[in-house]
Amino acid sequence: SAVPSGESARRRLWGGLLRAGVTIYRYAAEVLHEKTFIFDRRVTVVGSSNLDPRSFRLNYELSVVVADESFAEPVVSWHQHDLEHSEVYTLHAWRARPLWQKVVDWFWALWRRQL
């Protein structure tokens, strides 16, 4: 199946993240567009905006910050549920991508600021 260009552009960067010790989870059930950040189980940021210059300058996206433990609690539970239905993407899997996928990832990474 065809991989969206945005995913290819992002995947190109995963090697550096994985080498630095970041754990990447791939949610298998469906596509999630929301971005959720939870700080110390007290402050929650929920929205659709990406943390990049294009999203802040050109896209009409929104994120909401809520500083309330009672709001954060179910968000933490939903996040844990999502992780349980995700698979960990490893550095070995990233390195073992087929050559065609590495080329596609490289190509779309050239355009990632526009995606």
Side-chain angles (χ1 to χ4, degrees):
S1 72
V3 175
S5 55
E7 183 174 338
S8 286
R10 288 186 302 272
R11 188 175 43 231
R12 171 89 166 122
L13 303 175
W14 291 356
L17 293 170
L18 292 163
R19 283 190 295 275
V22 171
T23 302
I24 296 175
Y25 292 88
R26 298 200 63 202
Y27 188 65
E30 57 192 50
V31 175
L32 292 175
H33 184 70
E34 78 173 32
K35 282 69 170 192
T36 306
F37 304 95
I38 306 158
F39 301 97
D40 296 331
R41 295 181 174 258
R42 293 187 186 123
V43 178
T44 307
V45 180
V46 179
S48 63
S49 55
N50 297 314
L51 296 176
D52 65 9
R54 181 177 179 85
S55 288
F56 292 125
R57 283 183 289 133
L58 301 174
N59 298 346
Y60 296 106
E61 299 190 61
L62 178 69
S63 289
V64 176
V65 179
V66 179
D68 179 30
E69 286 183 53
S70 63
F71 182 87
E73 187 176 323
V75 178
V76 169
S77 295
W78 296 331
H79 181 71
Q80 189 60 41
H81 177 267
D82 289 345
L83 289 178
E84 291 167 4
H85 293 87
S86 300
E87 66 179 45
V88 175
Y89 190 82
T90 65
L91 182 58
H92 174 74
W94 184 81
R95 288 180 174 152
R97 292 172 295 152
L99 179 60
W100 70 265
Q101 191 174 65
K102 292 176 182 179
V103 171
V104 169
D105 293 351
W106 170 83
F107 174 78
W108 284 113
L110 295 172
W111 304 99
R112 78 174 165 258
R113 291 182 186 219
Q114 302 303 316
L115 299 174

